[in-house]
Amino acid sequence: MSNLHKITDLKGRKRELDCIACSIQNGKVENPGKMAENEHFVAEQDYEIPIPGFVIIASKRHVYSIDELTQIEQETLIKFVFRLRKAMRELLDIKCVYLVHEEDTQNSHFHLWLFPRFKWMDDKFGTKVQSLKPIMDYARKNLKTEQNLHKVDDAIEKLRQFFTKST
Ligand SMILES: [Zn+2]
């Protein structure tokens, strides 16, 4: 039984994939939003939602839950989260981030979101976890503008340069 996941990427291309994260890891899908990686994890701009600094950490192995990570993966993950969060604060001036890990996603590949909060989100949709869905729907529909996509690219580039210099 196939369990294809339909996506529309930031450039409007439609794809159907078994597991997006695995498809990216094995090069079936190009990943222009990758900003950092280590032996066990990749950090990339969210593939569908054009919010600058919306970072997704994905495991390189197809694991489902955080309790499947090996000791070394656990240690690598927390250091990676720490450095990304610090870089988001220092380079992108992001003052508030929500960390989200949903185990029941469609492809069930380990992902951790570093979801940046901006003032327009609070003003328009309020705060806390229940605001995330309307914010993401709004961004998907309204923020694929040239100006905003440029901000997304700029954030990717700043983080990428930071990690290139410091690893
Ligand atoms: Zn996978």
Side-chain angles (χ1 to χ4, degrees):
M1 194 179 70
S2 132
N3 184 24
L4 288 177
H5 184 58
K6 290 190 173 72
I7 61 157
T8 304
D9 71 15
L10 291 178
K11 312 285 183 205
R13 290 169 295 209
K14 292 189 190 326
R15 311 290 290 266
E16 286 193 354
L17 303 163
D18 282 320
C19 173
I20 298 172
C22 282
S23 300
I24 289 172
Q25 303 304 346
N26 62 28
K28 268 190 214 158
V29 174
E30 58 170 315
N31 183 17
K34 183 164 83 177
M35 62 249 325
E37 75 179 303
N38 55 49
E39 209 183 331
H40 306 289
F41 297 93
V42 178
E44 57 216 4
Q45 169 68 35
D46 182 88
Y47 208 73
E48 298 178 276
I49 312 293
I51 292 173
F54 182 6
V55 176
I56 309 284
I57 296 175
S59 57
K60 291 197 170 175
R61 288 196 303 129
H62 188 98
V63 297
Y64 164 76
S65 170
I66 199 162
D67 69 2
E68 292 175 79
L69 298 179
T70 64
Q71 180 86 30
I72 184 76
E73 285 169 337
Q74 295 165 35
E75 289 162 9
T76 306
L77 176 64
I78 193 62
K79 285 181 185 153
F80 203 34
V81 173
F82 173 89
R83 293 188 69 216
L84 280 159
R85 175 62 189 103
K86 202 162 157 39
M88 288 163 76
R89 191 188 305 283
E90 289 172 3
L91 304 173
L92 308 179
D93 197 29
I94 293 170
K95 294 179 175 64
C96 179
V97 169
Y98 289 6
L99 297 182
V100 180
H101 170 223
E102 292 177 309
E103 290 192 344
D104 56 352
T105 55
Q106 199 165 354
N107 50 22
S108 300
H109 186 121
F110 179 86
H111 287 88
L112 178 68
W113 298 358
L114 283 73
F115 191 94
R117 301 292 310 201
F118 296 102
K119 190 174 177 301
W120 68 264
M121 299 173 175
D122 298 0
D123 293 348
K124 234 178 164 58
F125 300 101
T127 58
K128 307 301 172 199
V129 74
Q130 64 270 23
S131 65
L132 293 179
K133 175 80 167 62
I135 290 168
M136 288 165 70
D137 288 344
Y138 176 84
R140 190 189 278 116
K141 279 192 201 108
N142 301 291
L143 295 183
K144 287 181 182 171
T145 61
E146 195 177 329
Q147 190 193 19
N148 189 58
L149 289 176
H150 182 77
K151 282 188 198 166
V152 171
D153 284 344
D154 190 53
I156 294 168
E157 197 48 42
K158 280 183 180 157
L159 292 172
R160 186 180 289 151
Q161 281 178 13
F162 171 82
F163 279 92
T164 307
K165 275 184 210 141
S166 62
T167 42

